[in-house]
Amino acid sequence: ETGVTQTPRHLVMGMTNKKSLKCEQHLGHNAMYWYKQSAKKPLELMFVYNFKEQTENNSVPSRFSPECPNSSHLFLHLHTLQPEDSALYLCASSQGGTPGLTETQYFGPGTRLLVL
Amino acid sequence: GQNIDQPTEMTATEGAIVQINCTYQTSGFNGLFWYQQHAGEAPTFLSYNVLDGLEEKGRFSSFLSRSKGYSYLLLKELQMKDSASYLCVLNQAGTALIFGKGTTLSVSS
């Protein structure tokens, strides 16, 4: 257990569905991240939130919409996804401050998403 | 990521020693992480090197040479549970962490 939880762990959705992924961290951190991990590819950073403010959007399509209501919770709202969006979506948190400093990130277990 | 190069796969036997190499290119180096990721699970932190040299933590050690853009993760006394993907992660100035593709290590008996 890393102190970062994600729900659901598995999700199957159609291309017209709307769903949300949830992440919660119990570490008292102030920065939270969404990553996408596809087979045979490195982790791809999607979004970064620092103190509830989005500081990075890594050219992610608008069908992915993040929400960070407070420093402990992070959501990823999904709408009209494509089959190529099927992947493992990982949430992480770190102490806070600017990404790129000496910050160890702690990851949740991920949501395995399949888009049909 | 494109700035990081590490082998795709490695195999070893129980009790052996294995070294996983990582080379990187960057214009602003802050540090280098190693993470372990078992299949279907979250990456977990193993080590972080900022200065040149070897850092030892039990069976695992990590080495860094900033001038050569090179790091390695050394695993001793391999166990079956060490079968996992090992991610070399660059902490580059001005950007978020950059993850390598990972090295899948298979340990056999």
Side-chain angles (χ1 to χ4, degrees), chain A residues 2 9 33 35 37 40-45 48 56 88 90 99-110 112, chain B residues 1-2 8-9 30 33 35 37 40-45 48 50 87 91-97 99-102:
Chain A
T2 62
R9 294 295 308 276
Y33 311 78
Y35 287 89
Q37 188 174 34
K40 307 296 184 185
K41 290 185 178 180
L43 267 72
E44 301 171 49
L45 179 66
V48 181
E56 189 152 344
L88 180 68
L90 289 162
L101 299 180
T102 55
E103 294 225 325
T104 300
Q105 293 183 19
Y106 296 86
F107 286 83
R112 177 73 61 185
Chain B
Q2 59 188 13
T8 304
E9 294 180 338
N30 276 341
F33 291 92
Y35 277 81
Q37 185 177 22
E41 297 182 14
T44 55
F45 170 79
Y48 183 58
V50 176
L87 310 177
N91 188 351
Q92 181 171 273
T95 69
L97 298 183
F99 284 77
K101 292 185 178 181

Side-chain angles (χ1 to χ4, degrees), chain B residues 32-83:
Chain B
L32 191 131
F33 291 92
W34 283 96
Y35 277 81
Q36 180 192 59
Q37 185 177 22
H38 285 99
E41 297 182 14
T44 55
F45 170 79
L46 288 179
S47 66
Y48 183 58
N49 291 69
V50 176
L51 302 176
D52 290 350
L54 185 69
E55 300 226 353
E56 298 185 67
K57 270 188 189 179
R59 294 189 300 114
F60 292 8
S61 303
S62 56
F63 172 83
L64 176 68
S65 169
R66 288 172 296 172
S67 61
K68 295 181 180 177
Y70 169 67
S71 174
Y72 68 71
L73 181 69
L74 189 72
L75 294 80
K76 303 177 185 174
E77 302 169 17
L78 280 176
Q79 302 175 11
M80 298 292 284
K81 67 178 182 179
D82 298 328
S83 293

Side-chain angles (χ1 to χ4, degrees), chain A residues 7-18:
Chain A
T7 54
R9 294 295 308 276
H10 301 273
L11 179 62
V12 180
M13 59 187 290
M15 289 190 282
T16 58
N17 292 157
K18 287 185 182 180

Side-chain angles (χ1 to χ4, degrees), chain A residues 9 12 15-16 20 30-31 48-49 61-62 66-67 70-72 76 78 80-81 83 87 95-96 100-101 104 116:
Chain A
R9 294 295 308 276
V12 180
M15 289 190 282
T16 58
S20 295
N30 294 297
V48 181
Y49 278 83
S62 59
E67 178 190 358
N70 55 61
S71 293
S72 299
L76 187 63
L78 315 173
T80 60
L81 294 191
Q95 186 60 49
L101 299 180
T104 300
L116 301 176

